[in-house]
Each structure stands twice: as C-alpha cells, then as structure tokens.
Amino acid sequence: MKSAVETLNPTRVRLTVEVPFEELKDSLDAAYKKINQQVTVKGFRKGKIPARIIDQRFGRGAVLEEAVNDALPKFYTEAVNGAELDVLGQPEVDITELKDGETLNFTAEVDIRPVLELPEDFSSIEVEVDAVEVSDEDIEKSVEQLRERFASTSPVERAAEDGDVVTVDLEAKVDGEVLEDGVADGVSYTIGSGELLEGIDDAVKGLEAGGEATFTSELKGGSAAGQQAEVTVKVTQVAARELPELDDEFAQLASEFDTLEELKADSRKRLANMKQYDQATQAQERVLEKLLELVEVPVPEKLLADEINTRKHNLEHHQLDQMGLNLEKYLELQGKTVEEFETETREAAVKGIKTQFVLDELVKREKLNVNQEELTEHLMRRAASSGMSPDQFAQAVVEGGQVPLLVGEVARGKALAVVVESATVKDTNGEVIDLDDEEEDTEEAAEASTEDADESAESAEDKPEA
C-alpha cells in the first residue's frame, strides 16, 4: 500500500491511498464467507456455496463492495499512522478507482489537530484580580442569613404583610379551564421571597386567613409552562416570622461556638476562604484568556459546526426542558436576540476548542500525567456538582466510555495551573498574589474551567464509510 498526504489548510488534509489488489484477499475471503451465510442456492448447503456461483448469482460487484467496506478502515488507519497524523472525527472517503484484480485507490479528507507554537515560558503574562477583603458588612450579612434560617413563626390574626409566612391554596386556569396540574393546597410561602408566581405578593398582602384573590401570572413550569394563567389564591393562615436575638445564646443554638464573637470570627474566616477560592478562579480565567491571545489557534470548521450544534442541542433538550422552557422563551427572559445568541454560542464554542488544543499541547510538552488519586478527587467533585453519588457517577462514566474525557479534564487543569504559577497575578491593591499557598484551590478551579473545553475535539479514528 502507498499513501501520500496533501495539506489543504492548517487543520485539514487529504490522504491519497493506492492498494494493490492482492492486499484485499483477506477482505474478499471474508466477504464471500459473509454472503455465504446470508443466501441460499438450490443444490448447495448453506455456507458451502462456491465463490464462482456467488459471482454468477449475485454479481462480483456485490462481493467487491462488501470487501472494500470491510478493508477501508484498516487501510485508512495504516495511512494515518504512517503519516503520524493526529486526526479529528470521521474522514470523508471517496473511492477514485476500483479495478477487479488490479487496484483500489481512494482519497480521505479529514480534520487534524493544528500544529501550535507555544511560548517557551509564561512569565510575560500578567493579570489583575479582586483583592481578598472581608468587610464588617459582609460579616453582618452572613450572620443575618444564619439568623433567618433559625427564625420561628407563629400564627397571627391580622392581614398579611411583607415577610410574613402565609399558607395558601392555589388554583390555575388557562382559557377558563382548571389545569390538571394547576391545583395545590397547603403551600407555605414567605411574602417577598419571589419563590412562587409573579404577582402573588401583591395578591396576598392585605388578606387575612380565609381571604381570597385572583391575579394573572405566567406559569414557570408544568403542562402550561410559559402561558398566562388566571390564578386564584386563598389564604388559610398568616404567620409572623420572629428572628432570634443576636447574642451568645443564638451562637450556641446555630453553631458549635459559645459566643457571638467566636461565631463572627468563624464567619470572617469562612468568607475569606471563599473569596480566596474566587480569586484563584478569577486568576486562572484571566490567565487563560491571556494565554489564548498569545497562541495562534486555527479551528477546524466542521469541528466548530459540530460543537455549536452540540451546545444548542444540550441547551434546548436538556437544560431548558428541565426548566419547562423553549429557546424562544429563554431568549425573551434573557433579553437576547437570536443573532446575539448565535454569536455568543459560536464564541463560546471557539474558545472551548482553542482551550483544549492549547492545553493538550501543553500537557504533551510538560509530560503531565494524571494519577489515580487526582482522577478520584476530580470524579468526586464532578459527582457532587451533578447531584449524583460518587458510585453512581463513576458507573455512568465507565458505562459511557467517558474515563478518557475525565482524565483529559484533569490533565488540562494541571496544565493551566502550570501557566498560572508562572504568570504574575496582582490584586486591585497592587499586591502580588502568591498562589502557591492556594495551590489546591488553583488546580481545582483550573479543572473546572477546562471542563467546558470541547470534547468533540478529542482525537478519533472512526470507521470511514465509502
């Protein structure tokens, strides 16, 4: 077999392959054997039909077609390996010549990973991030949120006010008909929380127990999601919320601390840790943007089109479906036009593909490996974010053949962490941030940033179809 490579552009090549006919012998034998098992000819036992009879009855062309389809993946793979190509996705194969007993010639066009030139070091990268500052107001807000969680309620005989907890019965009608899933009794709702339907706050305020009101609202879920409904709300109870006093007794009730001052000190520490993680995340995101600016990364058009379609499909058929929305309603709520959505989706897809190409190249250059402990920690984080148990998530990953994808995410996270450590990171006060003290946070944040990189850009040598 002979093959040659023609570069069509930085991300696409054409392979020209010439195969002597004798190299098709194994595939021809397999084709006759397969056809033997599928057909019957009077006077011959099944599976014992001579090749010449198959040629006569069913045509030599059918045998050649079966043999070529069987042989093409092998010859294509040999040509790819011989040229040391890093291919992406399925090739477009065209049989240019097939002469029985003489030769098989074909071409295969396929996308490849572009050759990238990375900087020798990344010390020239400099970014600015928010300073880690915890104010007294932050502490007060944190403690107040904790206080809200320990609020008690007691029924009152008066009209409902902001902040009260009301128990209500709801009935929703569309076009005058009560919806099958439009009735709910005994619903507890805090006035002003915004957790139920738009318009319910104005409807229930001023009502006492036994009071009733009707308002119009757009349904957020259920069988009539997105439609305007006439909602009748009946208040069955009004309860006032009572917040506990901010004192040492509250600290003992709401935490493991004995005094309110100890509780506040712990809140300050926790908020500082959260802001340090946010700072590390911000640093890696901004370093990544700078890195992508330094490297010229051509993007295969077919790969980009596939990634855009995948992102749209996932949004419409997974995320929005769960929310009871369609794309049109989603864009309306977001205040975006279709053109803006298309532009944002394309930009995100381009960034995802470029990110993966650049970080994968860095993984290769730095010879970064992923050990079992790192993979397990990453799996635990992904399981937590997906709402699944680690065992369930691990089983889904294995059954879906997604282990290499997770390994890639961890490796790319480590690669990005290498760049962040080499870059200069300053906060808004002009202080240089030493992220070595936050190494775990930096790598974890870097992994989270690279999870969105396009998985369809993974090298694949799929079976070609003529």
Side-chain angles (χ1 to χ4, degrees):
M1 185 193 82
K2 294 192 302 182
S3 64
V5 180
E6 176 187 358
T7 300
L8 303 177
N9 61 50
T11 62
R12 194 164 180 84
V13 298
R14 179 188 292 123
L15 287 162
T16 301
V17 184
E18 298 178 9
V19 183
F21 203 81
E22 56 266 22
E23 294 188 29
L24 282 171
K25 183 180 183 307
D26 289 344
S27 294
L28 278 169
D29 291 343
Y32 278 117
K33 185 175 182 180
K34 182 177 181 180
I35 293 173
N36 241 308
Q37 299 299 322
Q38 295 175 338
V39 302
T40 57
V41 176
K42 190 175 181 180
F44 296 94
R45 286 183 299 166
K46 193 165 187 176
K48 300 296 184 180
I49 308 170
R52 60 181 178 80
I53 299 300
I54 291 177
D55 288 346
Q56 290 172 3
R57 291 293 186 92
F58 305 102
R60 174 73 167 176
V63 179
L64 288 175
E65 182 179 354
E66 181 67 36
V68 168
N69 282 336
D70 176 74
L72 271 178
K74 180 185 70 171
F75 295 130
Y76 165 74
T77 301
E78 288 180 6
V80 166
N81 292 340
E84 297 182 345
L85 297 175
D86 194 351
V87 298
L88 302 168
Q90 291 188 340
E92 294 179 4
V93 176
D94 180 28
I95 297 174
T96 55
E97 186 176 25
L98 176 58
K99 289 185 178 180
D100 194 358
E102 295 184 26
T103 186
L104 163 66
N105 297 335
F106 69 90
T107 62
E109 289 191 16
V110 66
D111 288 331
I112 60 171
R113 282 180 180 265
V115 177
L116 304 180
E117 293 186 12
L118 301 182
E120 287 300 318
D121 66 72
F122 307 102
S123 58
S124 63
I125 295 178
E126 183 173 324
V127 298
E128 184 180 76
V129 296
D130 295 334
V132 174
E133 296 174 342
V134 181
S135 65
D136 292 340
E137 289 76 12
D138 292 332
I139 305 300
E140 295 302 325
K141 182 178 179 182
S142 175
V143 173
E144 190 63 26
Q145 288 173 342
L146 185 61
R147 188 183 179 206
E148 290 278 348
R149 288 170 50 191
F150 283 85
S152 60
T153 59
S154 57
V156 292
E157 294 183 2
R158 60 166 172 76
E161 302 173 354
D162 270 327
D164 285 344
V165 178
V166 290
T167 304
V168 298
D169 297 337
L170 298 167
E171 181 184 82
K173 294 180 180 179
V174 173
D175 297 329
E177 297 291 330
V178 178
L179 299 171
E180 290 185 8
D181 55 354
V183 177
D185 293 334
V187 177
S188 180
Y189 174 66
T190 302
I191 300 176
S193 66
E195 294 174 351
L196 274 179
L197 298 168
E198 185 176 346
I200 192 172
D201 289 340
D202 292 335
V204 297
K205 277 191 294 187
L207 295 181
E208 297 183 16
E212 187 175 300
T214 300
F215 63 101
T216 301
S217 184
E218 182 180 297
L219 300 179
K220 302 301 182 183
S223 60
Q227 297 185 44
Q228 292 291 323
E230 183 182 82
V231 182
T232 299
V233 54
K234 181 179 180 180
V235 177
T236 60
Q237 185 185 75
V238 178
R241 299 177 74 250
E242 298 177 2
L243 297 176
E245 292 293 329
L246 280 178
D247 52 23
D248 292 346
E249 187 176 340
F250 167 71
Q252 295 164 18
L253 169 69
S255 70
E256 70 271 30
F257 301 104
D258 293 327
T259 67
L260 183 61
E261 287 307 311
E262 289 176 333
L263 173 61
K264 288 184 177 182
D266 181 70
S267 294
R268 183 179 296 276
K269 181 180 178 181
R270 289 175 184 272
L271 288 173
N273 289 339
M274 288 172 58
K275 291 197 174 189
Q276 283 179 342
Y277 179 82
D278 290 342
Q279 187 184 67
T281 301
Q282 194 177 65
Q284 57 85 18
E285 287 175 350
R286 294 182 178 179
V287 167
L288 176 60
E289 290 174 1
K290 292 281 189 179
L291 175 62
L292 295 181
E293 291 174 4
L294 292 176
V295 184
E296 184 176 348
V297 187
V299 176
E301 281 302 318
K302 185 176 184 303
L303 180 64
L304 176 58
D306 290 344
E307 174 64 6
I308 291 173
N309 289 334
T310 297
R311 287 171 181 260
K312 289 180 179 177
H313 178 84
N314 289 340
L315 174 65
E316 292 188 60
H317 300 284
H318 296 290
Q319 295 166 290
L320 296 186
D321 269 359
Q322 294 177 0
M323 299 165 61
L325 297 174
N326 57 27
L327 182 60
E328 181 181 0
K329 189 61 185 177
Y330 168 75
L331 294 180
E332 181 183 328
L333 293 173
Q334 293 289 314
K336 296 178 183 176
T337 65
V338 174
E339 291 74 18
E340 290 171 334
F341 169 72
E342 295 284 350
T343 299
E344 289 180 4
T345 304
R346 181 182 178 86
E347 289 175 350
V350 168
K351 182 179 179 181
I353 293 172
K354 287 185 174 182
T355 296
Q356 179 164 332
F357 283 171
V358 170
L359 295 182
D360 282 350
E361 186 67 26
L362 188 57
V363 167
K364 187 189 305 181
R365 191 180 83 176
E366 299 292 322
K367 297 181 174 59
L368 299 175
N369 296 313
V370 176
N371 60 42
Q372 185 62 47
E373 183 181 355
E374 291 167 334
L375 182 59
T376 300
E377 289 177 357
H378 183 64
L379 186 147
M380 299 280 281
R381 286 195 293 268
R382 288 293 303 273
S385 65
S386 69
M388 301 169 67
S389 72
D391 287 344
Q392 289 175 325
F393 187 79
Q395 183 178 354
V397 166
V398 172
E399 291 178 353
Q402 300 296 303
V403 174
L405 177 62
L406 257 65
V407 172
E409 289 175 357
V410 178
R412 285 187 285 275
K414 294 178 71 173
L416 182 53
V418 168
V419 182
V420 173
E421 290 167 10
S422 300
T424 300
V425 180
K426 294 182 179 180
D427 65 18
T428 49
N429 295 327
E431 298 290 330
V432 175
I433 305 301
D434 184 4
L435 292 172
D436 287 344
D437 296 335
E438 305 168 32
E439 183 175 352
E440 185 175 341
D441 282 349
T442 303
E443 289 199 9
E444 183 177 332
E447 287 173 21
S449 174
T450 59
E451 287 169 17
D452 190 46
D454 169 48
E455 65 187 72
S456 66
E458 290 287 347
S459 296
E461 297 177 9
D462 298 320
K463 182 174 179 179
E465 295 181 1

